[in-house]
Amino acid sequence: MRARLYTDGGARGNPGPAAYGYVLEDEDGSLLAAHGEAIGVATNNVAEYAALIAGLEKAAELGVDELEVVSDSELMVRQMTGVYKVKNEALRELWERAGRHARRVGTVTYRAVRREHNELADRLVNEALDAAGH
């Protein structure tokens, strides 16, 4: 099954109260899953990776074998595609976890977009932070 995964993570303060959101759609644009969750105090980049990992886990669980990941985190996209090396030790562990989950899915491509092209995932992040009282 082919699908598209929109991911976003954010922190209010950096680091600060953080959350992630993801939206998983099939190739026709029908919603397969959406989730937003507060993750405590973290950096924006940690939250971005948390979104990716959770979304990849859900995609694998649903039997997706061809996935396009869409994110407004240029850093994460470039790290996942090998353009940038992962120098930060905390991010390296998350990058490795994301890579393991991506291999479970099969074919995964990554595309960086501007924030306004990632509205639903961004909204899930903010709703999770608001619900957590941040």
Side-chain angles (χ1 to χ4, degrees):
M1 171 179 26
R2 293 173 61 179
R4 182 172 292 121
L5 175 66
Y6 296 90
T7 66
D8 196 21
R12 293 184 178 161
N14 198 21
Y20 72 82
Y22 71 80
V23 177
L24 185 61
E25 297 178 347
D26 69 14
E27 60 187 325
D28 298 326
S30 298
L31 184 65
L32 297 173
H35 183 71
E37 187 173 320
I39 59 170
V41 174
T43 65
N44 288 330
N45 291 330
V46 166
E48 295 282 4
Y49 269 101
L52 176 62
I53 290 165
L56 287 168
E57 285 176 341
K58 179 55 84 172
E61 180 184 308
L62 295 177
V64 172
D65 56 10
E66 192 173 332
L67 184 66
E68 178 186 29
V69 175
V70 179
S71 172
D72 61 18
S73 172
E74 193 172 313
L75 175 77
M76 184 188 72
V77 167
R78 289 185 176 197
Q79 287 177 336
M80 291 304 296
T81 57
V83 174
Y84 289 171
K85 287 191 185 319
V86 184
K87 297 174 185 167
N88 179 292
E89 204 51 49
L91 291 185
R92 178 179 303 285
E93 182 181 324
L94 296 170
W95 173 79
E96 288 171 354
R97 282 182 57 199
R100 284 194 299 274
H101 288 296
R103 286 187 291 281
R104 282 182 52 215
V105 169
T107 302
V108 180
T109 58
Y110 298 87
R111 181 165 52 106
V113 296
R114 295 194 355 213
R115 177 175 291 156
E116 46 282 12
H117 299 291
N118 203 17
E119 288 176 32
L120 183 52
D122 182 62
R123 190 168 79 224
L124 290 171
V125 169
N126 285 298
E127 287 174 359
L129 285 168
D130 292 345
H134 303 292

